[in-house]
DNA sequence: TTGACGCATGCCCATATGGGTATATGTTTG
DNA sequence: CAAACATATACCCATATGGGCATGCGTCAA
């Protein structure tokens, strides 16, 4: 078996530097293939191919404008990536250690007074 | 040219599901190759190879323990991934829209003195 | 209509992947 | 010391990649 297809998910699609550049460029607003070709200094076919991948994983949307095709970012698929990476944020962010300390103290204090200290975490909005 | 090496950076290393599973497993603490082999239900050589990749990008550290090798997570390299993805957070997080609203109001308040009573058509929610 | 323009596709190819299987290396036990 | 155990490596191979280049197709201009 070879490596998973780049179109498998956002993780794979975004692993390619060029595709990240494209998204970054599109972050400023809609752009046509030609604009990207110029901005990235890459050949048009390659840009189109990268856009195809990004499109297949839903990272960009297209809109026809005469003989041009305007691409636009759609960050939704990145949500999964963000969610996964965020779990590790505590491993490099000092502030999390501080939060841990506080939570630790609270936990101890709660356990001390009674035995029913359950805090329900609120879920973010679904989609 | 083929796809960039998986050992190029965290983006590429983490694009592989199995490697993410390994990191998730290690998130609970040090584990030996054998433990991971069992947890992932993957053959030992494959686990070792994935660990090699993770090691080359610095996502894990190793420690010798007798005839075993204990692996440990090191989230640092993920910081770059997080930073990049975070830029797009506003594209799916509603809370950013709220911030936008506030900024919007402040802007309008300032513009009010200039007598600019124009209501922009609201765009419906995308997804 | 013809031609120029803007993009998407098709092909060719060198390359690394990830799983499978066998084996080398280092460590602990008898 | 030999045998068992824990890992790392070496190979073999089917597969998709990403860039280069040529070309197909729809759209706008003369």
């Amino acid at each position: 078996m070879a490596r998973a297809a780049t179109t498998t998910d956002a993780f794979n699609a975004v692993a390619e530097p060029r595709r990240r550049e494209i998204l970054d460029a599109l972050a400023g607003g809609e752009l046509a293939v030609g604009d990207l070709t110029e901005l990235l200094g890459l050949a048009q076919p390659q840009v189109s191919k990268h856009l195809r991948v990004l499109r297949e994983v839903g990272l960009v949307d297209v809109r026809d404008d005469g003989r041009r095709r305007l691409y636009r970012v759609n960050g939704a698929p990145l949500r999964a990536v963000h969610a996964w990476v965020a779990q590790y944020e505590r491993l490099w962010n000092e502030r999390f250690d501080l939060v841990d300390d506080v939570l630790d103290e609270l936990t101890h204090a709660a356990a001390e007074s009674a035995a029913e200290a359950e805090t329900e975490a609120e879920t973010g909005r679904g989609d």
Side-chain angles (χ1 to χ4, degrees), chain A residues 30 32 55 61-71:
Chain A
E30 285 185 329
R55 231 200 133 193
D61 291 322
V62 210
R63 180 167 77 85
D64 276 36
D65 175 44
R67 53 188 169 188
R68 295 188 306 163
R69 307 202 80 195
L70 301 180
Y71 283 81

Side-chain angles (χ1 to χ4, degrees), chain A residues 49-75:
Chain A
K49 286 181 198 169
H50 282 311
L51 285 170
R52 181 170 173 58
V53 173
L54 291 174
R55 231 200 133 193
E56 287 194 34
V57 296
L59 277 169
V60 298
D61 291 322
V62 210
R63 180 167 77 85
D64 276 36
D65 175 44
R67 53 188 169 188
R68 295 188 306 163
R69 307 202 80 195
L70 301 180
Y71 283 81
R72 182 173 199 254
V73 191
N74 177 353

Side-chain angles (χ1 to χ4, degrees), chain A residues 4-127:
Chain A
T6 55
T7 53
T8 299
D9 52 41
F11 280 98
N12 283 283
V14 162
E16 167 65 301
R18 257 49 197 277
R19 278 189 292 262
R20 256 174 280 146
E21 284 182 46
I22 289 183
L23 291 178
D24 288 340
L26 293 178
E30 285 185 329
L31 283 181
V33 179
D35 303 323
L36 292 168
T37 298
E38 221 177 296
L39 287 172
L40 300 191
L42 195 59
Q44 176 268 310
Q46 278 57 340
V47 174
S48 283
K49 286 181 198 169
H50 282 311
L51 285 170
R52 181 170 173 58
V53 173
L54 291 174
R55 231 200 133 193
E56 287 194 34
V57 296
L59 277 169
V60 298
D61 291 322
V62 210
R63 180 167 77 85
D64 276 36
D65 175 44
R67 53 188 169 188
R68 295 188 306 163
R69 307 202 80 195
L70 301 180
Y71 283 81
R72 182 173 199 254
V73 191
N74 177 353
L78 287 180
R79 193 171 187 169
V81 179
H82 183 271
W84 185 78
V85 179
Q87 293 187 302
Y88 296 84
E89 202 173 15
R90 66 190 307 295
L91 297 180
W92 73 72
N93 193 336
E94 291 185 26
R95 282 189 285 183
F96 272 81
D97 292 339
L98 297 180
V99 174
D100 282 346
D101 289 345
V102 177
L103 289 176
D104 218 44
E105 283 180 44
L106 290 174
T107 303
H108 281 264
E112 227 165 72
S113 57
E116 277 276 290
E118 196 167 1
T119 306
E120 193 62 31
E122 84 302 335
T123 64
R125 279 249 48 78
D127 55 341

